[in-house]
Amino acid sequence: MPPTYTPSEMMIVTAARALDGTRTVFVGVGLPNSACNLARRTVAPDLELIYESGIYGARPARLPLSIGDPTLISGATSICSMVDLFGLYLQGGRVEVAFLGGAQIDRFGNLNTTVIGDWEDPKVRLPGSGGACEIATNAQRVFVIMRLKQRAFVERLDFCTSPGHLGGGREREGLRLPGSGPQLVVTDQCVFEFDEDSREMTLASLYPGVPLAQVREQVGWDVRVAPDLREAAPPASDELQLLRGELDPQGLYR
């Protein structure tokens, strides 16, 4: 029987569930925004949404279209400058989880949002870092949300914009980066975690109906598989109802 949900809905619900018990989260627009607002209505009712534009404790009345959308200030706990937000909250170590994405990710969770191809003569110029490098460096934990594609999950980045676990092992700790780096990579087919010792991305769970071979085909390296590989639980009816009826009724992201 075919699933009654889309891969994007599965991805959003899985990311929302990962925020269970979290208090502060740095949010981007799009998929992370949908996941965080769903989490606030389900597993993390005390979740404080932090947006790069200077919003802390946002309670958006509708799905914001950008980090500058006026709906973000409605009911917010605090509105401050970006300097204060990054200096006092992010660099102050007060952000528990941050969501990031990118055009490329490698096996150690390093991200590229700068260029595809050679730096001097790139095929594509991307938006760049924005606040992503600071977020990846300072957030206590980083969750990455990206669609699983071979061109995105690569053996070697064309450019390292945001540090993950760098070359693996204890390299990140050796440079004394304050945050603990990526902990989770949520895709539209599966979920990856990171090995405690090598810090290498490890396949932790598959979505219902997704074969292991399909995931291997979309990853640009010989992906590690957890010995206790699990099947992720599908979205519940109440989660889908919130997502479709309240958070994203127009289907912009789901």
Side-chain angles (χ1 to χ4, degrees), residues 124-147:
V124 180
R125 285 201 180 276
L126 301 167
S129 172
C133 183
E134 286 290 323
I135 295 165
T137 300
N138 291 280
Q140 294 177 28
R141 295 179 290 154
V142 172
F143 291 174
V144 179
I145 185 165
M146 294 175 61
R147 300 186 193 281

Side-chain angles (χ1 to χ4, degrees), residues 33 37 41 59-65 69-72 246-247:
N33 184 71
N37 277 283
R41 288 161 172 79
R59 297 289 188 271
R62 57 172 171 77
L63 195 68
L65 300 177
D69 194 319
T71 192
L72 293 177
E246 183 178 340
L247 298 176

Side-chain angles (χ1 to χ4, degrees), residues 22-151:
T22 302
R23 182 63 192 275
T24 55
V25 60
F26 212 110
V27 191
V29 295
L31 291 168
N33 184 71
S34 301
C36 292
N37 277 283
L38 179 60
R40 190 166 62 82
R41 288 161 172 79
T42 52
V43 298
D46 296 324
L47 191 65
E48 301 285 2
L49 308 185
I50 305 171
Y51 289 85
E52 188 175 342
S53 50
I55 314 297
Y56 181 93
R59 297 289 188 271
R62 57 172 171 77
L63 195 68
L65 300 177
S66 73
I67 60 169
D69 194 319
T71 192
L72 293 177
I73 69 173
S74 303
T77 304
S78 172
I79 304 167
C80 61
S81 69
M82 291 178 69
V83 172
D84 284 343
L85 186 79
F86 276 77
L88 300 177
Y89 291 107
L90 184 61
Q91 294 176 351
R94 295 178 174 86
V95 175
E96 291 179 47
V97 173
F99 271 100
L100 290 176
Q104 292 179 330
I105 186 171
D106 68 12
R107 70 176 71 207
F108 298 116
N110 304 297
L111 292 165
N112 172 22
T113 56
T114 302
V115 295
I116 300 298
D118 181 72
W119 168 259
E120 298 294 339
D121 186 23
K123 297 177 182 177
V124 180
R125 285 201 180 276
L126 301 167
S129 172
C133 183
E134 286 290 323
I135 295 165
T137 300
N138 291 280
Q140 294 177 28
R141 295 179 290 154
V142 172
F143 291 174
V144 179
I145 185 165
M146 294 175 61
R147 300 186 193 281
L148 189 66
K149 299 178 181 178
Q150 193 173 50
R151 68 182 183 184

Side-chain angles (χ1 to χ4, degrees), residues 121-205:
D121 186 23
K123 297 177 182 177
V124 180
R125 285 201 180 276
L126 301 167
S129 172
C133 183
E134 286 290 323
I135 295 165
T137 300
N138 291 280
Q140 294 177 28
R141 295 179 290 154
V142 172
F143 291 174
V144 179
I145 185 165
M146 294 175 61
R147 300 186 193 281
L148 189 66
K149 299 178 181 178
Q150 193 173 50
R151 68 182 183 184
F153 285 69
V154 296
E155 176 69 32
R156 183 180 177 85
L157 299 180
D158 292 340
F159 188 93
C160 184
T161 310
S162 304
H165 296 294
L166 300 172
R170 303 298 170 186
E171 185 173 337
R172 184 184 174 98
E173 289 91 330
L175 291 178
R176 299 185 179 181
L177 300 187
S180 60
Q183 307 296 305
L184 203 66
V185 180
V186 180
T187 80
D188 53 347
Q189 299 181 41
C190 61
V191 175
F192 298 93
E193 297 175 356
F194 288 84
D195 180 73
E196 184 67 26
D197 296 319
S198 69
R199 297 296 198 267
E200 184 175 344
M201 199 184 299
T202 303
L203 181 62
S205 64

